[in-house]
Amino acid sequence: MNFMFIAVIVLGAIALVAAAVLYVCSKKFAVKEDPRIAQVSAVLPQANCGGCGFPGCSGMADALVKAADGGSLDGLNCPVGGAAVMEQVADLLGMAVANTEPMVAVVRCNGTCENRPKTAEYCGLRTCSAMNACAAGETACGFGCLGCGDCADACQFGAIAINPETGLAEVNEDLCTACGACVKACPRHIIELRKKGPKGRRVYVSCVNRDKGPAAKKACAAACIGCGKCEKECPFGAITVEGNLSYIDPQKCRVCRKCEKVCPTGAIRAVNFPAPKKVAAEVGETAEKTEN
């Protein structure tokens, strides 16, 4: 009995000493967190998509607080929350936030089933990453959309889906937050974040094929052939042709659409522009005849 009593006393003493040591260590080595980090994190949308370039919203909050201590929030932006969230963050931190133009994901491929017919049948794992790793594909184009939906699976907002008729990924710009998850998921790098543009209007080259003209055109009827006509036509120097592929710089483009008119393959795409007056008139006349 005496041995048990002594054992209990010894164990109790050890526990008290250990507790005292832990208490001292917790106080001495405690990491104090700036309370503003929790406040900023609460304002952020908690999507944890990584579109801001930081590991989750808590990482973004920490970066914002540190940037505020440095005197500027320039270069930091929450793509999901957008301007409204950044304004709230700026108010919390007593800072001014730079106006950032809204962005949207753009699928740079127009290789529909009609433009890019199938030349083979893939029987492996049905993902874009697997198909691309095998250097496989079901068409002659080794650059275009594979249509397996890795981008759709990566999107947390349901903003991108595969069109069953065209076989291409399509973005719903009303749902897109420009988080960049689809950009990272695409193994062929055909998805790009671009400025939405004035009234949502934008012009871009819907192709990433870098093969020489004849080979690119043979693989896809709507491929860029690197002819350079668009580059010569652009009055703003927004277009460059490198590696047999033209590219429109969204920072320089003034959406004049002159390049679209001279493109011989229709590789340049203009989005959200009103229909030409002539076409609109013809549509109206057809509708009137149908009603009568």
Side-chain angles (χ1 to χ4, degrees):
M1 188 68 179
N2 290 334
F3 289 109
M4 292 180 63
F5 184 69
I6 293 171
V8 171
I9 292 176
V10 171
L11 289 174
I14 293 173
L16 287 172
V17 172
V21 171
L22 289 173
Y23 177 78
V24 172
C25 289
S26 66
K27 292 297 182 182
K28 185 175 180 61
F29 301 106
V31 177
K32 295 182 180 179
E33 183 179 89
D34 192 320
R36 294 177 299 170
I37 295 177
Q39 295 173 356
V40 172
S41 182
V43 172
L44 296 176
Q46 301 305 316
N48 294 317
C49 59
C52 57
F54 297 95
C57 291
S58 59
M60 174 65 163
D62 182 59
L64 286 166
V65 171
K66 290 179 179 176
D69 291 340
S72 174
L73 297 181
D74 291 348
L76 295 175
N77 180 53
C78 174
V80 177
V85 166
M86 290 306 296
E87 286 176 5
Q88 292 181 53
V89 170
D91 289 340
L92 272 174
L93 300 175
M95 301 290 295
V97 61
N99 291 326
T100 56
E101 295 189 66
M103 307 285 284
V104 68
V106 168
V107 180
R108 293 184 57 204
C109 179
N110 198 28
T112 61
C113 299
E114 183 180 352
N115 291 332
R116 186 180 49 153
K118 288 187 177 182
T119 57
E121 184 175 353
Y122 175 76
C123 297
L125 181 63
R126 203 74 188 177
T127 66
C128 298
S129 56
M131 192 181 291
N132 187 65
C134 297
E138 297 183 319
T139 69
C141 178
F143 297 86
C145 179
L146 292 166
C148 295
D150 287 19
C151 52
D153 294 338
C155 181
Q156 299 183 38
F157 308 98
I160 190 166
I162 302 298
N163 186 322
E165 295 183 1
T166 63
L168 298 176
E170 293 183 355
V171 177
N172 183 334
E173 61 183 79
D174 293 329
L175 298 177
C176 180
T177 61
C179 69
C182 56
V183 177
K184 297 175 184 176
C186 180
R188 288 192 168 177
H189 310 293
I190 67 168
I191 304 178
E192 177 188 7
L193 294 182
R194 294 179 70 91
K195 294 193 303 181
K196 273 192 174 183
K199 297 183 180 180
R201 299 172 185 174
R202 52 194 175 276
V203 179
Y204 60 92
V205 179
S206 189
C207 180
V208 295
N209 194 325
R210 292 185 174 276
D211 286 335
K212 291 185 178 180
K217 187 68 183 296
K218 184 177 180 181
C220 178
C224 173
I225 57 177
C227 63
K229 289 183 178 180
C230 55
E231 183 180 25
K232 295 176 183 177
E233 188 69 18
C234 181
F236 307 104
I239 304 178
T240 54
V241 179
E242 294 181 5
N244 306 310
L245 179 67
S246 62
Y247 180 78
I248 300 175
D249 186 342
Q251 303 301 326
K252 297 179 180 179
C253 179
R254 297 295 180 270
V255 292
C256 67
R257 300 180 69 183
K258 290 184 177 181
C259 55
E260 180 191 13
K261 296 175 183 177
V262 299
C263 180
T265 63
I268 297 178
R269 188 178 179 190
V271 181
N272 294 330
F273 286 87
K277 292 182 179 179
K278 183 179 179 181
V279 174
E282 291 177 354
V283 171
E285 290 175 4
T286 303
E288 287 180 5
K289 290 179 181 179
T290 303
E291 290 177 358
N292 297 330

